[in-house]
Structures are given as structure tokens and as C-alpha cells.
Amino acid sequence: MSVVGIDVGFQSCYVAVARAGGIETVANEYSDRSTPACVSFGPRNRSVGAAAKGQVVTNCKNTVQGFKRFHGRAFLDPYVQSAKSSLVYDLAQMPSGMTGIKVMYMEEEKVFSIEQVTAMLLTKLKETAETAMKKPVADCVISVPSFYTDAERRSVIDAAQIAGLNCLRLMNETTAVTLAYGIYKQDLPAPEEKPRNVVFVDLGHSGYQVSVCAFNKGKLKMLASAFDAELGGKDFDEVLVNHFCEEFGKKYKLDVKTKPRALVRLYQECEKLKKLMSANSSDLPLNIECFMNDIDVTGKLNRGHFEEMCAGLLAKVEAPLHSVMEQAKLKKEDIYAVEIVGGASRIPAVKERVSKFFGKELSTTLNADEAVARGCALQCAILSPAFKVREFSITDVVHYPISLKWNSAAEEGLSDCEVFPRNHAAPFSKVLTFYRREPFSLEAYYNNPKELPYPDPTIGQFIVQKVVPQANGESSKVKVKVRVNVHGVFSVSSASLVELLKPNEGEEPMETDSAGKEEEVCVHCFRTTSEDGKQEKNHAPSAKKPKVKTKTVELPIENSLHWQLTNDLVNLFMENEDRDTFALRLEDTENWLYDDGEDQQKQVYIDKLAELKKLGQPVQERYIEAEERPKAFDELGRHIQQYMKIVEAYKTKEEQYEHLDELEMLKVDKQVNDAMIWMNSKMNAQSKQNFTQEPAVKVQEIQAKTKELYSACNPIVSKPKPKVEIPKDEKEEQNGPINGQEDTDAQPGSPEKGAAGSTVAPESAEGNKMPEMDID
Ligand code: ATP
Ligand code: MG
């Protein structure tokens, strides 16, 4: 089992692994610990990470970055539509309605889903981890912004699956940071003492997240979190880009926004300038040679002026700080430290504002860039049985209040109830009790759409099926378990019906409520139980409870989730990934052959070939099988049909076969039936397999069956008729065309002739038809 943490940032990604020596952030093939979240599509290959970043200017239309926030969003989502206008690559609508990325790849126009693009990135990060650990990687923990909704989270889980990663937990970036902080602290207050409250501030490239967390020895509890999903380093870059576009427009008469290449270069230079301004308050130059129309451009700026231009952005720093303090009901004196992480929190004006708000010096205990990945690796180590990690319990929170809506006969309309209030502990399960006579549906939604950085508050619909009334016609008690899981995703995880039994029925007596009325299914009357079975809240009437024997029946639940990729689609994308991985490996090997591989020891080539065959051979074999299988079945079917015909003709005493031996013909009849049953069962099994699975039956087996049938039957049915003297003129008539055809039709050719899959029996309308059989 691998222990890997992955921080998929909007701009850059980090991979941390757990080794005997502790947690380590690993470097990629460029000896860089940060890997750009960038994928570049070319006419012959694609590159990911640093190599792709190098193509941003030269192949700008097909070099994709800044796609993190398109996860789980429809193409028509206002966020996508507004981001689209500032991208140099194209977006397109997927058939599902989701956002896709349109590029030229391998000289063809392609639209990739966000999950596919992120999977490409994750595959790269997985390889980085594999190189560092020198072993295959599957298990990992991946971070997501704490403000991601369910649709966004599910989309990242799908991307991980496409990349062949087994994501043990989608961890909130904020929570990963708190873990990376807390687990090493030796001086935390004892569990019974007042906890140590620490505020964490992460300003990344696209988002701003603040959280407050309570630490005691061996545990952390998130108290609250807040965010501004539209504040990040890129917004500061945007201010600079707009400033210089305007300046160069006036100074050089250049319309920069019409030239994607120039615009991309300007973004790069503005980001550099922004970083320089963090360290230096004097005037700093911005020079770009041959910027547009062969013109060199120059400009300058200083920090003071920059801060004036960014006043609007800087004013947004305070609100989330306020919000967490208010939610956690803490005063500034209750805060032990304010830790800052994230690249853009290096902007001095940002730091100043945070520090001023708390009246405190900021702490930088953590590595601002790597803390998220390290926290994820720590979580992975905690989850891994292969690692011994100090006991540390992590209690995360639900970020948006979640409600359920359902139809209530008693209230003649919709009832609803908040099942997880904001900052409720997570992961967490609750059991709700309903009283129903028939299947019913529950709709989950975020009940405060205003604070949601996502246009649709719907989470999904869950239909509890197979609900029936009790034997006496009364409503049944249905227990529904709802859950916010380790990934922070809501689900209706199970449902069961409590069947009341007559006193002599059933094995386990259970106590049940006597109040079995449907009217009681409303906000005030359902009962919730926490995961450990402890009752949390019980508004059910406390009437005397007679002991009744019951039986619990599990009920199926049908999910229809907001923007969920279907399993088929995920599988298809996975296959595409495999194909692409193989294609890239082939290409690499080809390049190697013309380069270092031109003159090597024989064994080197043997090894390379064996490595490629490991990937390619099973695919090739399945392909050949899939091509040849229908022909082999066809041939067996034809043999079966033809022997059947002869058996029929024999039974109806057709003159042509009357000389055949009765016992032997019974044997033929049996052989044919057995072969038919065998073929039916094999076809049936094969029809359940898809192309990527091992075939249920091999072509060779089918051919062997045909041969066996032929060897058993042919000597019997082709016994020549005893010679009878025929008068001369009749003999001529019998050799006519009709008899000739009958003969060939009834005598199948030897299957050996057809070993290579060629047609054996002569073409005849009937002879070519497959026998009818049951394939269900
Ligand atoms: P997100 O967390 O939003 O998904 P990310 O994790 O990729 O994005 P970070 O790597 O934390 O983001 O931060 C990148 C941002 O930090 C960029 O905008 C970058 O320009 C900015 N940044 C990095 N160093 C500095 C600096 N010294 N001064 C100002 N900004 C900086
Ligand atoms: Mg980040």
C-alpha cells in the first residue's frame, strides 16, 4: 500500500510521501517539488506539468491550465462562462452538459472532460510518486478546496479513478494544513484542558480559505471555516495585466487582448512582477521583447501603486476572518496563533491586513507551499495499516447546511428538515425514521444557496424503494441512514424497513416505537441517531413501549445525483487513459530507438520489448479473439444445424438417409444437442463480457468443439448408400442440379479446412444462417 498525499492546486501541485524517515515532499523529473497544473496537447504527443508549462506561449491554444474550478460545473454555469472569456484555450459543452476542454490533439479536434484532463495531471503526479518510491502507487489522499460542493468533489473522485488512483479520502485543503501543523506539536494542551485555537489562512492562486481549529493532545477539531472563492493570486495578476494592456494600448497602440500569445506572455511577466513587488517596494521594470508586431514594450510599477490598484481585492481579505471568528464564537484573545500558507499570502498588503485584524504577528511554522500535500500524506499514513503514526483524531466540519425535502401526506405537500447544520462534525451518519406505506423520495439540497459558490443548490434525489405497508395495513417504520462521508460528500447510504412480526415469528426481539403514525414524519418528529448509535435527538412521543418482535429488511435506494458521471463514462475515460499511456510509451520507445537506443546490448532491447508486451499483448490477444470469435461460433453453428437437418431427415425417413444405422444416429442426435447447449452457454457468458475483459471462451476452444462434433458425426452421416443398379436414363436425372445442391448442403466440410477462420461449407442460403438459440 502506498502512502501518498497530493495537493492539486489551481496553479501548482505537490506530492508528499511517507517513508521510514517521515513525510517528504518529492521532486519531479526537473528536480522541482512543484509541478504546474498544466497539460499541453501536441500533434504527436501531450505533455503534463513542467514540460507543458514550457508550451504555454508556443502552443497557447492547446495548452490547458487553470481548469481546477471547472470540476462538476455545467458548461452554462455562470462561473464557467465568465472564466471562458479570459482563457486562451477553448471550452465546449460535453454531451452531458458539463464543461469540456476543446483542443487539437494528434491533429484532430478533441473535447476532453475536466475529469479526463485532471486525470492526466494526476497520472503525472502518480508517476512522480512512483519514481520517488520506486514502486507502484494507487492509494492516496487528494486535497480539494473546503468550499467544494458535492458535484465538484465527485468530479475529482472520478478523475482520480480515471487515473487509476484509489483516493482514500478527499481532504479539505484547510484540514490537511491543520493536520500538518498539529501532529508534530508536542506541547498541545491535555484532552481535558482548554484547547489551543489556531487560525489558518490560505491564499492560493484561485481561492482564499480561512479556518479555525481547536487542538488538544492527540486530536484536532475544526471549529469553522470561511472562504472567498473568488480571491486569489490570479486576481492580482489580472489587475496588473489590465493595467499594462491599457498602458501599452496608449503608449504603443497595441490591442494586446486580440493576440492570445502576447496576452499569455504578459500574464507571465505580470506574475513575476507581482512576486518581485512582494520583496521590493521601489519602482520595478516590466520589459518584454518582440511583444507584438515586433515591438519591444517596457513599463514600470511599484508596490505602493500596485496596492492602490488592488484596493478592491485587498478589501476582501477581512470578511472570511470575521466570519470564522463569529461562527466559532471566539474572541481575538482566544486565538493562540495565526498561521499563513498559500503562495499569494506572501503579498505584504495581505499579510498586513490579516495581522492587523488579529492584532498579532503572523506565524509561518508551516511550509507555505507544501503544507497541504504533507497534511494529505499524513492522513494517508494514518489510514494505512502499513504505517505506524502517532494517534491523532481529526474532526472535520460540514461546510454548508444540508436539508432534506420529502412529500408528506400528513402535511399535504413538501416537508423539509435540515439534517446537517453548518459546522456539524464530519464524517458523520444519522438515522432518520419515517413512516410510510409506499416507496418515497428524498431530495437533498444545500439550504443556503446565497453562501454557495455554486449556482445550483441541488445535491441529488434518493428514492427509497420497495416500501410496503405492515400486514395490518398500517404504515411501516423506515429507517434511513444519511451520511456526510470522508470525502465530504452527502449520501443516503442505506434504508431499512422494520417489519412487525406476530409474537411467534422472528428471532431477535427489538424495541420499537408504538407511535407509528405518518403525521409524525415531520421536522419535529423524526428521530436522528449518530453514527455510534448514540441517540442525538428524539422528539418521538415517549409512550410506553411494548416489546414487539420485528424483522429488518434492507431496502434498495435509487440515486440520481446532480452532475454525476455515469459508471460507463468513467470506464470509457479510463480506457482512453490506458490507450494514451500506451501510445505515449510506444512513442517514447520509438524516440529512444533513434536516440540512445540506436546501439545497445541485445538484452536491453529484449527487456524493452518485454515491457511493452506486458501492456500490449493482452490487448492484442483480446482483439484477435474478438475478431475471430464470431467466425468460429458461426462455423460451429453451421455444423450443428447441418447435422440436425440430417437427423430430422433420417427421422422422417427420407430416402437419402434410410440406410444409416439407428443407434449411430441416436449418437449423432445427442452429440448435436450437447454441442448446441455448450455453444448457447458460451455465447451467453461471452455476451456479458466487454472488450476489455478476458473472453469467456477462447476461439481455440470453439474450434476444438467443432472438430469434435465433426469427428463424431461425419463418419456416421456420410456413410455411402449401398450401390443399387439404376437404369441408364434415371441415373442422368438423379445427377441433376437439385440433388447436387442437397448433397453439399447436408454434408459439412471438414472443420480442419476452416482452422484459419475461413468459410468451410459451401455458400447456401440456409447453410450460412446461424441456428436460432436463446441468448438472454
Ligand atoms: P489554489 O490553492 O487556489 O488551488 P495554488 O495552490 O496553486 O492554488 P499557491 O501555489 O498556493 O496556489 O499560490 C500561487 C499564487 O501565489 C500565485 O498567484 C503566485 O503568483 C502567488 N505567489 C507566489 N509567491 C508569491 C510572492 N512572493 N508574492 C506574491 N505572490 C506570490
Ligand atoms: Mg492551494
Side-chain angles (χ1 to χ4, degrees), residues 7-12 14 68 143 145 173 202-207 209 341-343 368-369 372:
D7 168 14
V8 186
F10 188 94
Q11 185 180 53
S12 23
Y14 292 85
K68 171 170 170 174
S143 69
E173 290 167 4
D202 177 355
L203 187 61
H205 194 52
S206 73
Q209 302 174 71
V341 294
D369 300 312
V372 174

Side-chain angles (χ1 to χ4, degrees), residues 89 222 277 406 511 597 702 710 746:
Y89 59 88
M222 290 299 264
M277 285 190 293
W406 62 86
E511 203 155 272
I702 308 172
Y710 175 83

Side-chain angles (χ1 to χ4, degrees), residues 12 55 137 284 286 322 382 544 674 758 773:
S12 23
Q55 312 271 315
V137 162
L284 294 169
L286 179 134
H322 249 302
I382 291 173
K544 262 250 168 278
D674 288 353
S758 61
M773 46 191 84

Side-chain angles (χ1 to χ4, degrees), residues 7-14 34-35 37 68-69 145 147-148 173 202-209 229 231-237 270-279 306 341-348 368-370 372:
D7 168 14
V8 186
F10 188 94
Q11 185 180 53
S12 23
C13 309
Y14 292 85
S34 130
T35 297
K68 171 170 170 174
R69 300 285 293 281
F147 52 78
Y148 262 16
E173 290 167 4
D202 177 355
L203 187 61
H205 194 52
S206 73
Y208 176 42
Q209 302 174 71
L231 182 66
K234 76 181 175 62
D235 300 292
F236 291 85
D237 297 346
C270 284
E271 194 194 354
K272 278 188 213 156
L273 177 65
K274 173 187 74 175
K275 290 184 184 171
L276 284 174
M277 285 190 293
S278 294
F306 175 53
V341 294
S345 63
R346 296 191 178 101
I347 297 174
D369 300 312
E370 300 170 12
V372 174

Side-chain angles (χ1 to χ4, degrees), residues 642-644 646-648 650 656-672 707-722 746-748:
Q642 287 164 346
Y643 291 126
M644 262 178 160
I646 297 174
V647 172
E648 271 312 297
Y650 174 80
Q656 196 186 347
Y657 302 109
E658 63 187 4
H659 65 287
L660 299 178
D661 181 81
E662 194 180 348
L663 271 181
E664 283 190 330
M665 284 309 282
L666 275 176
K667 202 173 130 196
V668 170
D669 197 9
K670 184 172 180 321
Q671 285 278 347
V672 170
K707 208 167 147 190
E708 183 191 313
L709 184 67
Y710 175 83
S711 318
C713 303
N714 210 50
I716 301 172
V717 302
S718 59
K719 268 200 189 129
K721 232 178 157 168
Q747 306 279 325

Side-chain angles (χ1 to χ4, degrees), residues 182-200:
I183 203 164
Y184 294 110
K185 291 274 179 284
Q186 298 288 354
D187 58 342
L188 294 175
E192 63 284 358
E193 285 173 34
K194 228 175 119 189
R196 177 183 295 178
N197 301 317
V198 181
V199 170
F200 295 86

